[in-house]
Amino acid sequence: MSTETQTYSRNNPFVSTMLVNYVMTDKDSEKETRHIELALEPSMHYTPGDAVGILPTNRDGEVESVLQALGYTGTEQVLDFFKKPTDLRDALTTKLHIGKLTRGSVNAYAKVAPESTPGLDFLKSLAGQDNKSKAEEYVYGREFIDLAMEHPGGITDPQQLFTVLGRLTPRMYSIASAQAKNPGTVHTTVRVVRYHSHSRDRQGLCSGHLGERADEGVTMPIFLHANNNFRLPQDPATPVIMVGPGTGIAPFRAFLQQRQANGDRGKNWLFFGEQRRASDFLYQKEWDGMLADGTLTKLDTAFSRDQQKKIYVQDRMKENSAELFAWLESGAYFYVCGDASRMAKDVEQTLLDGIANGKACSPDAAQEYLNTMKKEKRYQLDVY
Ligand SMILES: Cc1cc2nc3c(=O)[nH]c(=O)nc-3n(C[C@H](O)[C@H](O)[C@H](O)COP(=O)(O)OP(=O)(O)OC[C@H]3O[C@@H](n4cnc5c(N)ncnc54)[C@H](O)[C@@H]3O)c2cc1C
Ligand SMILES: NC(=O)c1ccc[n+]([C@@H]2O[C@H](COP(=O)([O-])OP(=O)(O)OC[C@H]3O[C@@H](n4cnc5c(N)ncnc54)[C@H](OP(=O)(O)O)[C@@H]3O)[C@@H](O)[C@H]2O)c1
């Protein structure tokens, strides 16, 4: 990611109105993935490949629980991170990160807590690089409320919260629309994070906000964020191959809308994967339309849980290995978006295997071929 675009920025966000927000996944799905459309001002512009930053707030219920655990009413006066006066309720709602606990917060809490704090020795034992894994284990699945309840009395002055807790930060979402087709709006594809840990139901800060408190008409601060490392080829005739399982599909909806709007002649091949065809086939009708009008040349899907043995996007790449290599040889750009931890690595390995087979060359030579693609910006990733 490079610079933020134009007038509005992370520190000076645009207050946008939610225009569309619905669940795309079926009720039988294990996921809740939403399609979201937010209003833009005429001066705001983005390019397919960019992201939108959304600034969420903490839930009233969570704020109330923290106030209760700390023994405050919320009317206490504090100075925010910019030394601007506000009350504690506002600070806990819009400025302080009370979600997922960090090791830094635990260490800071242990430092400010009085000696009488229950379990203080344990908290102190989590400090330092040598105790990193023990501390990681403690913070996993916990939020600030757990720390405040399990070790009460640690905060003796509400201002200390600005030392203990981090700032409430925006979350980035790949833009799923092309402005050429959607003037005045920006679209995203968001999976709502929900889980249960340490006897409490939890939800992701921003995706939870979008999933529960962002009905149409609600306003949210947003900003556009340029990503010059994820761009369609300049030549409209260049073929593109896009691999986007799950919410990784988002920027490819933007790419395809852009190519459709331009009337570009280049071929487009999309690989999409999710758990089940019946409940998780994101934007299916749109792909059908794009196949029918020729925007999409090829669509390969991998529904991992529709059969006993998992099938992933890279399995579809393997099945189409010879054709995929032929596209690369004809100058195709190759894009991957979505899960960084496993999917992107597995897809890269499959791509390398496909190159080695296609060229009948060694793994080292295949790696060199991919390095050249990277240098030519023909291999681009947007993974998280
Ligand atoms: C460039 C970029 C583009 C992105 N594009 C998209 C996109 O298009 N769509 C999209 O949905 N997301 C996208 N993301 C991810 C997105 O920014 C957020 O990280 C995501 O929505 C979660 O944020 P949150 O505030 O809802 O959750 P947070 O409050 O940040 O909580 C998430 C954290 O909860 C913890 N957690 C989750 N599940 C469990 C569990 N079962 N047990 C214990 N702990 C758990 C994990 O530590 C996880 O990191 C993108 C990220 C980047 C950097
Ligand atoms: N930070 C956060 O909390 C947060 C929030 C939202 C999304 N995300 C991330 O966003 C990304 C997309 O999430 P998502 O739920 O939309 O989709 P996802 O988890 O990437 O799942 C999409 C499809 O990919 C499959 N898959 C799993 N492992 C794979 C692999 N190694 N190679 C190829 N495919 C694989 C899944 O199959 P199976 O599930 O059947 O194995 C599923 O069919 C992930 O990185 C996710 O962690 C993160």
Side-chain angles (χ1 to χ4, degrees):
M1 287 273 158
S2 61
T3 52
E4 281 140 28
T5 54
Q6 317 117 59
T7 328
Y8 298 104
S9 65
R10 183 180 290 253
N11 292 323
N12 176 34
F14 170 66
V15 180
S16 172
T17 303
M18 183 66 68
L19 299 175
V20 177
N21 182 351
Y22 64 87
V23 181
M24 280 192 282
T25 38
D26 187 78
K27 61 178 181 354
D28 296 329
S29 175
E30 288 174 36
K31 298 192 181 178
E32 177 183 327
T33 305
R34 289 178 168 264
H35 175 71
I36 281 169
E37 300 185 11
L38 288 152
L40 296 182
E41 190 168 84
S43 69
M44 296 173 82
H45 301 286
Y46 59 84
T47 304
D50 289 349
V52 56
I54 302 183
L55 280 90
T57 56
N58 288 310
R59 284 187 282 175
D60 290 347
E62 301 297 307
V63 170
E64 200 51 50
S65 303
V66 169
L67 285 170
Q68 271 183 25
L70 299 178
Y72 295 126
T73 62
T75 55
E76 295 79 4
Q77 292 300 297
V78 287
L79 294 177
D80 73 9
F81 289 103
F82 300 99
K83 305 286 176 238
K84 213 172 132 218
T86 185
D87 66 44
L88 184 56
R89 185 178 297 277
D90 172 61
L92 286 170
T93 306
T94 65
K95 299 186 167 60
L96 292 161
H97 174 79
I98 56 172
K100 192 172 112 64
L101 196 58
T102 62
R103 287 188 295 126
S105 283
V106 176
N107 290 343
Y109 189 85
K111 278 190 188 140
V112 300
E115 284 305 318
S116 57
T117 306
L120 185 60
D121 287 345
F122 167 73
L123 293 180
K124 284 184 173 165
S125 78
L126 302 178
Q129 205 53 31
D130 292 349
N131 302 308
K132 193 175 164 195
S133 57
K134 192 175 159 193
E136 294 285 9
E137 197 184 316
Y138 174 71
V139 298
Y140 185 76
R142 281 190 168 84
E143 294 168 295
F144 178 66
I145 184 67
D146 302 275
L147 178 66
M149 287 180 71
E150 289 165 15
H151 305 277
I155 300 291
T156 52
D157 172 351
Q159 193 61 47
Q160 288 169 331
L161 289 169
F162 288 85
T163 317
V164 169
L165 298 171
R167 277 178 71 178
L168 198 73
T169 49
R171 301 290 191 263
M172 305 308 296
Y173 294 94
S174 309
I175 291 176
S177 50
Q179 226 168 351
K181 288 250 166 193
N182 307 277
T185 63
V186 61
H187 303 188
T188 66
T189 313
V190 177
R191 172 160 71 81
V192 179
V193 175
R194 294 184 204 280
Y195 57 101
H196 186 86
S197 62
H198 301 283
S199 313
R200 290 175 85 97
D201 286 329
R202 325 259 175 178
Q203 55 177 245
L205 166 66
C206 189
S207 62
H209 188 154
L210 293 166
E212 258 187 34
R213 292 174 286 135
D215 287 345
E216 288 155 22
V218 161
T219 56
M220 293 190 83
I222 69 165
F223 59 93
L224 299 171
H225 190 86
N227 179 6
N228 292 321
N229 294 319
F230 206 76
R231 288 284 183 255
L232 275 166
Q234 280 186 343
D235 181 350
T238 302
V240 308
I241 303 168
M242 299 159 278
V243 181
T247 54
I249 194 69
F252 303 133
R253 184 173 181 263
F255 276 11
L256 287 163
Q257 283 188 357
Q258 186 68 54
R259 285 200 134 189
Q260 190 180 44
N262 295 349
D264 290 347
R265 288 180 297 108
K267 294 190 292 180
N268 300 302
W269 187 352
L270 178 65
F271 289 88
F272 173 69
E274 250 304 352
Q275 293 182 349
R276 295 177 186 86
R277 175 183 288 272
S279 55
D280 305 307
F281 198 164
L282 309 179
Y283 302 115
Q284 178 180 11
K285 279 206 180 105
E286 296 186 22
W287 309 139
D288 288 346
M290 286 184 176
L291 281 166
D293 75 12
T295 304
L296 202 47
T297 318
K298 271 175 83 77
L299 171 66
D300 279 288
T301 53
F303 293 101
S304 52
R305 302 188 190 191
D306 272 350
Q307 59 289 306
Q308 257 198 330
K309 192 177 168 295
K310 291 239 174 144
I311 296 175
Y312 287 156
V313 280
Q314 58 270 30
D315 296 308
R316 298 300 185 216
M317 287 168 60
K318 273 177 216 155
E319 289 164 14
N320 290 279
S321 182
E323 189 175 359
L324 205 145
F325 183 68
W327 277 52
L328 295 183
E329 285 285 272
S330 73
Y333 277 44
F334 190 96
Y335 300 88
V336 186
C337 180
D339 173 45
S341 62
R342 294 164 303 152
M343 182 277 294
K345 291 176 191 136
D346 294 347
V347 164
E348 179 164 311
Q349 189 53 55
T350 304
L351 182 62
L352 284 167
D353 294 344
I355 294 166
N357 278 338
K359 273 183 77 76
C361 69
S362 68
D364 283 351
Q367 184 65 59
E368 219 162 279
Y369 186 100
L370 188 63
N371 291 346
T372 305
M373 282 182 64
K374 284 183 194 166
K375 270 190 216 128
E376 294 170 354
K377 295 201 181 297
R378 289 176 49 221
Y379 180 66
Q380 300 184 23
L381 306 180
D382 176 18
V383 297
Y384 44 87

